[in-house]
Amino acid sequence: MPTTDTAPSCPCGSGDLLSACCGRYHAGTPAPSAERLMRSRYSAYVLGDVDYLLATTLPVQRTGLDRDAIRAWSQQSTWLGLEVENAEVLGGQPEHAFVTFTARWHDEAGEHSHRERSAFVQYGVQWYFIDPTVGLNAGRNDPCPCGSGQKFKKCCAAYLG
């Protein structure tokens, strides 16, 4: 669906209207895949939706996030685009996935490009980003922090290697 002059296109680069794309996830509909979650998180950075970024991070990692730093990076950057290279659904219970992408932005230090292979886990109907900058603080035989009830070594640790 093409965009109109009055309706914004989605920042994720889909070409769809924001309301028909990432906007619905920002409004509370769970993203149906890790790739859609990753795209909606990029759009949240563009739009300054820090609450969404925190809500879609693995719950046990949220207290380790710096809300003010996330807000500052979001607001002080001009977001230039997103390219998704690959989305791998790995299976398992709970479902795990990797999404490889490149995000581009400009700030006072110049233009930047960041390539990342992000890990995600699905718990119930909700996908969550596993933030590599925030430790999971779990021993191999501890219950997995994602809430699956499995040992960490048999769940998320197997994908974070």
Side-chain angles (χ1 to χ4, degrees):
M1 171 193 294
T3 61
T4 66
D5 291 339
T6 59
S9 62
C10 192
C12 81
S14 67
D16 292 332
L17 295 175
L18 174 61
S19 61
C21 193
C22 295
R24 61 187 161 171
Y25 309 130
H26 297 163
T29 300
S33 68
E35 180 180 351
R36 293 302 324 155
L37 178 62
M38 193 282 312
R39 287 179 173 279
S40 68
R41 286 176 56 84
Y42 173 84
S43 293
Y45 273 107
V46 173
L47 300 169
D49 191 345
V50 176
D51 290 339
Y52 182 79
L53 293 166
L54 272 66
T56 56
T57 299
L58 192 62
V60 300
Q61 293 184 304
R62 291 177 191 161
T63 58
L65 297 174
D66 184 339
R67 177 184 286 273
D68 293 335
I70 293 169
R71 178 175 284 109
W73 188 41
S74 171
Q75 293 175 346
Q76 295 169 9
S77 299
T78 300
W79 298 91
L80 303 174
L82 173 70
E83 178 187 336
V84 176
E85 297 175 33
N86 189 32
E88 308 166 64
V89 177
L90 305 172
Q93 288 298 322
E95 188 91 65
H96 288 81
F98 288 115
V99 178
T100 304
F101 66 93
T102 301
R104 296 181 306 106
W105 73 96
H106 183 272
D107 60 21
E108 74 244 0
E111 193 167 314
H112 308 276
S113 178
H114 175 76
R115 184 174 185 271
E116 183 174 314
R117 183 176 185 239
S118 292
F120 296 84
V121 61
Q122 185 180 33
Y123 189 69
V125 297
Q126 181 70 46
W127 280 95
Y128 293 101
F129 169 61
I130 303 173
D131 192 318
T133 68
V134 180
L136 288 174
N137 299 324
R140 291 181 42 77
N141 291 316
D142 290 340
C144 190
C146 78
S148 68
Q150 297 180 34
K151 289 183 179 184
F152 182 52
K153 69 181 177 185
K154 295 286 186 181
C155 194
C156 291
Y159 302 100
L160 298 174

